[in-house]
Amino acid sequence: MRMGSDSLVVFARLLGLAIAVVVVYWFLLFKSSFAPRKGLTKTTIHALLMVIGFILVSGEAILIHRWLPGSKKTKKAVHLLLQGVALVSAVFGMWTKFHYESGIFSNFYSLHSWMGLLSVSLFAIQWVTGFLSFWHRGEARETRSTLLPWHVFFGLYIYGLAIATAETGLLVKLTHLQTKRNLPRHCAESVVLNGVGLGLVLLCAIVIASAVLPKYQKSHSDEVKELIISSHSHYAITRKYKECLYGDAKFFYLGFSDSVFIEL
Amino acid sequence: MRMGSDSLVVFARLLGLAIAVVVVYWFLLFKSSFAPRKGLTKTTIHALLMVIGFILVSGEAILIHRWLPGSKKTKKAVHLLLQGVALVSAVFGMWTKFHYESGIFSNFYSLHSWMGLLSVSLFAIQWVTGFLSFWHRGEARETRSTLLPWHVFFGLYIYGLAIATAETGLLVKLTHLQTKRNLPRHCAESVVLNGVGLGLVLLCAIVIASAVLPKYQKSHSDEVKELIISSHSHYAITRKYKECLYGDAKFFYLGFSDSVFIEL
């Protein structure tokens, strides 16, 4: 693991861990006059499944490509497995809301629930597509490489959408406490939940950065040099041309093609 | 304008227009028992400035690179100008909240306000950096081309964050109507505001796609094939190739370049 990716992964893990600890503490253990400890209620299970089981596990699955050693197949299998865990958590997390009141969709009136339904549905489609693609290794390499950027684009978009949904969920929870239980507007509890919200916003940036930023930043120039040299062995390359490739190659990295570069 | 980018821009515009019309109608003209028409209140001005002046104008500024003909300098100048308008709207939109209650930050207790402060601050930093970079044309091309992917990454991230903040704002507005004015949970009004929320989620996807998806999708593989052939056959760099690498395509190849290297 190189320096750059190392720090990104470590930072993402520490932040994810901090968020998990605060969420578990706040929803399971925290007790006060306005929020009596109620143990594992459906609301608590919903929050834990969505933040930890769905968002944090899904983020970890995205990070897999950044740090896990081994073959591409291993990475893909672990990625698929972790995203599967995230999907099950998300579906189960939604299920706690299906049964919350009378009627399956009676609880799905808010923007939070609409955004949640959208992100979980897209996530399910994305996972099924990824699953099918994984088991169709025989398909033309070109087809799969054409699909990959779309997979990454939609994957990161759905991840961002899930986090935006979590933000609305945290806001609903706090507004509920403030209006129904007279929680004061400025208090330690709201600071903690707002902190979780900002933590998720930051985590989103780090995880997406880990997916789109260059993986082998240090050795990048060397790789490109090798590439140019190998493909041009006997030919002169003008300075302009080199610059052209150098400049462009950076952008390719934003396109997640770093691994391709390395494998060439 | 090419086919793909054409449809993306047209779709983004139509969606943006629809959102603007609904927001103006809902906040300015809509009148009912629970939401009497109050004209230009500070809340209304806040909503209009943030959704139309900040988010929609900022999205338009991102799209500029996709469709505006002319030199790079013109595009950058228009992009900078539009983002300047968005920044002024955002600051003025926040200002309506500074004066809302007693004390400048007395109104900044919610997750919505924290996310808003964060996104507007980041947006301001991003704009100032872009402004300085625009007026320092003399700087090494390499430095600017190194900064560009970061500018795009942070720009799109801040755009997404602004939209996530708008979602929490819409939710606050609806929750407020539901608890303080007894708006029923299932009603046409909440469907309209939720629709605006989902519209913004979709707009976010289209605008980001327009920034990261290849502009010359059709001809891309051909360009690269030519590049490879030409570079292996002593040919000087063709004009077409220069356009391919230098042109406005920038790093908008994002990810779609895998296939290029696989083809090598």
Side-chain angles (χ1 to χ4, degrees):
Chain A
M1 206 159 39
R2 277 76 175 173
M3 186 52 204
S5 74
D6 202 358
S7 3
L8 268 184
V9 172
V10 169
F11 191 32
R13 291 262 172 77
L14 287 177
L15 190 57
L17 190 69
I19 291 170
V21 167
V22 174
V23 168
V24 166
Y25 177 76
W26 207 92
F27 280 92
L28 270 184
L29 308 171
F30 188 76
K31 191 179 174 179
S32 79
S33 55
F34 59 84
R37 188 177 151 190
K38 288 189 294 181
L40 275 176
T41 61
K42 278 190 173 169
T43 304
T44 307
I45 296 175
H46 176 78
L48 294 178
L49 280 174
M50 288 312 195
V51 175
I52 300 174
F54 184 29
I55 293 177
L56 296 187
V57 171
S58 174
E60 190 60 37
I62 296 171
L63 290 175
I64 282 296
H65 293 289
R66 192 86 199 183
W67 67 270
L68 194 76
S71 70
K72 264 189 136 177
K73 196 175 176 180
T74 313
K75 285 180 192 178
K76 281 182 183 175
V78 178
H79 176 79
L80 192 68
L81 187 74
L82 281 178
Q83 297 289 30
V85 172
L87 179 59
V88 171
S89 301
V91 171
F92 195 63
M94 277 213 316
W95 176 81
T96 62
K97 293 294 172 179
F98 279 155
H99 293 254
Y100 200 59
E101 287 180 19
S102 51
I104 284 191
F105 282 102
S106 66
N107 209 27
F108 284 72
Y109 58 88
S110 70
L111 183 56
H112 171 69
S113 60
W114 286 29
M115 286 170 71
L117 268 176
L118 181 68
S119 51
V120 175
S121 310
L122 291 176
F123 192 89
I125 295 169
Q126 173 85 345
W127 190 83
V128 170
T129 320
F131 181 83
L132 292 177
S133 156
F134 181 76
W135 292 107
H136 285 74
R137 310 278 308 163
E139 258 181 36
R141 194 187 165 90
E142 206 175 324
T143 314
R144 285 193 292 119
S145 78
T146 310
L147 281 177
L148 185 63
W150 291 99
H151 178 79
V152 175
F153 175 74
F154 283 115
L156 296 179
Y157 175 72
I158 296 164
Y159 180 71
L161 183 58
I163 286 186
T165 309
E167 305 292 344
T168 59
L170 288 168
L171 197 76
V172 166
K173 181 74 196 159
L174 266 172
T175 313
H176 180 83
L177 287 177
Q178 277 156 0
T179 53
K180 298 276 168 71
R181 291 177 191 266
N182 291 320
L183 175 73
R185 286 175 162 188
H186 297 265
C187 63
E189 287 71 27
S190 73
V191 170
V192 171
L193 274 204
N194 287 359
V196 170
L198 290 194
L200 285 173
V201 160
L202 185 58
L203 184 71
C204 182
I206 300 168
V207 169
I208 293 181
S210 88
V212 301
L213 294 185
K215 205 163 158 190
Y216 301 100
Q217 211 153 10
K218 275 288 168 201
S219 58
H220 168 223
S221 314
D222 302 333
E223 297 283 348
V224 175
K225 258 179 220 161
E226 272 173 38
L227 175 68
I228 294 169
I229 292 163
S230 67
S231 56
H232 291 88
S233 19
H234 307 294
Y235 312 115
I237 312 158
T238 65
R239 203 175 156 269
K240 216 171 183 185
Y241 172 36
K242 260 196 214 167
E243 272 173 14
C244 217
L245 267 184
Y246 274 100
D248 211 38
K250 268 172 206 152
F251 306 140
F252 288 150
Y253 276 144
L254 266 175
F256 328 103
S257 46
D258 34 337
S259 49
V260 177
F261 250 126
I262 302 310
E263 278 173 10
L264 273 170
Chain B
M1 207 158 40
R2 278 77 179 170
M3 185 52 203
S5 73
D6 202 1
S7 5
L8 267 185
V9 173
V10 168
F11 191 31
R13 291 262 172 77
L14 288 176
L15 189 57
L17 190 69
I19 290 170
V21 167
V22 174
V23 168
V24 166
Y25 177 76
W26 207 92
F27 280 91
L28 270 184
L29 309 170
F30 187 76
K31 192 178 172 178
S32 80
S33 54
F34 60 85
R37 188 177 153 191
K38 287 189 295 180
L40 273 177
T41 61
K42 278 189 172 169
T43 304
T44 307
I45 296 175
H46 176 78
L48 294 179
L49 280 174
M50 289 312 197
V51 175
I52 302 175
F54 183 30
I55 292 177
L56 296 188
V57 171
S58 174
E60 190 60 36
I62 296 171
L63 290 175
I64 282 296
H65 294 289
R66 194 86 199 183
W67 67 270
L68 194 75
S71 70
K72 264 185 139 179
K73 198 175 175 180
T74 314
K75 285 179 191 178
K76 280 181 184 175
V78 178
H79 176 78
L80 193 67
L81 187 75
L82 282 178
Q83 296 291 29
V85 172
L87 179 59
V88 170
S89 302
V91 170
F92 195 63
M94 276 215 315
W95 177 80
T96 61
K97 293 294 172 179
F98 279 154
H99 292 255
Y100 201 58
E101 285 180 22
S102 51
I104 284 190
F105 283 102
S106 66
N107 209 27
F108 283 73
Y109 58 88
S110 69
L111 184 56
H112 171 67
S113 59
W114 287 28
M115 286 171 71
L117 268 176
L118 182 68
S119 51
V120 175
S121 309
L122 291 177
F123 191 89
I125 295 170
Q126 174 87 345
W127 190 84
V128 170
T129 320
F131 182 82
L132 293 177
S133 155
F134 181 76
W135 291 108
H136 284 73
R137 309 276 308 161
E139 259 180 37
R141 191 188 165 90
E142 205 174 321
T143 313
R144 285 191 293 120
S145 79
T146 309
L147 282 176
L148 190 60
W150 290 99
H151 178 79
V152 174
F153 174 74
F154 282 115
L156 296 178
Y157 175 71
I158 296 164
Y159 180 71
L161 183 58
I163 286 185
T165 309
E167 304 292 344
T168 59
L170 289 167
L171 196 76
V172 166
K173 181 75 197 160
L174 267 172
T175 313
H176 180 83
L177 287 175
Q178 278 156 357
T179 54
K180 297 277 168 71
R181 292 176 191 267
N182 291 320
L183 176 74
R185 286 174 162 191
H186 297 266
C187 63
E189 286 74 26
S190 73
V191 170
V192 170
L193 275 203
N194 287 359
V196 170
L198 289 194
L200 285 173
V201 160
L202 185 57
L203 184 71
C204 183
I206 300 168
V207 169
I208 293 182
S210 87
V212 301
L213 296 186
K215 204 162 160 190
Y216 303 102
Q217 208 159 4
K218 274 286 170 204
S219 56
H220 180 220
S221 323
D222 301 334
E223 297 282 353
V224 175
K225 260 177 209 159
E226 271 176 38
L227 158 72
I228 295 161
I229 293 163
S230 70
S231 59
H232 280 281
S233 327
H234 291 279
Y235 292 150
I237 305 161
T238 62
R239 208 179 150 264
K240 221 173 181 184
Y241 163 43
K242 268 194 215 160
E243 273 172 13
C244 170
L245 285 185
Y246 268 128
D248 292 312
K250 292 169 193 160
F251 44 88
F252 296 151
Y253 285 143
L254 240 174
F256 293 80
S257 47
D258 306 53
S259 49
V260 174
F261 285 93
I262 283 162
E263 279 168 14
L264 273 170

